[in-house]
Amino acid sequence: MRKILSAIPLILYLESDRQDYIYYLKAGNDDDIHDFGYIDSIDDIDYAPLNGWSQTGKVEAIAGHGYIIWTKDNHFAKIRINSIYDNHIVFDWAYQSEKGNSELSVSANHF
């Protein structure tokens, strides 16, 4: 298991089943994770859902999929995996700094 994100109060790990070439994202710190499915852009995720969170705290990592993380301190984050390699992944990410706010898009008023 390799830690891939730890820049904010959020830890995300990459696990792999090298025999089957399957990779998993695992939320750290007892955080929740949700597979949002295929998206064209990270901007396609605008709100965190109420349901559908992983029961195991991990999901299969798939290029092109978006994921939402709900931290135990009640913040939300989103990522979109762009590429998966043997030893790392490339992804875009955003973090909602306002506690309890499940909105994950930037309004036009912020530009």
Side-chain angles (χ1 to χ4, degrees):
M1 185 164 40
R2 195 173 305 114
K3 188 185 293 187
I4 59 172
L5 180 61
S6 175
I8 49 180
L10 168 69
I11 298 174
L12 197 57
Y13 296 95
L14 179 65
E15 295 181 346
S16 64
D17 179 344
R18 292 184 186 255
Q19 185 176 8
D20 294 326
Y21 297 100
I22 298 173
Y23 294 89
Y24 300 94
L25 292 177
K26 181 172 180 6
N29 294 331
D30 295 323
D31 296 340
D32 292 319
I33 190 165
H34 175 80
D35 183 345
F36 196 77
Y38 180 82
I39 55 175
D40 291 318
S41 163
I42 192 168
D43 296 328
D44 292 345
I45 301 174
D46 52 1
Y47 277 93
L50 295 175
N51 302 312
W53 298 93
S54 169
Q55 297 296 309
T56 62
K58 71 180 184 179
V59 293
E60 186 175 351
I62 302 170
H65 273 222
Y67 302 89
I68 304 167
I69 296 93
W70 187 357
T71 67
K72 69 179 178 184
D73 67 347
N74 202 23
H75 288 266
F76 294 90
K78 62 182 178 177
I79 71 167
R80 180 188 184 273
I81 296 179
N82 299 318
S83 315
I84 301 175
Y85 300 95
D86 286 339
N87 60 355
H88 70 282
I89 63 174
V90 176
F91 60 92
D92 298 321
W93 65 278
Y95 178 76
Q96 172 53 271
S97 59
E98 185 178 313
K99 189 174 190 172
N101 186 348
S102 62
E103 184 177 355
L104 293 169
S105 64
V106 179
S107 71
N109 297 338
H110 288 95
F111 292 105

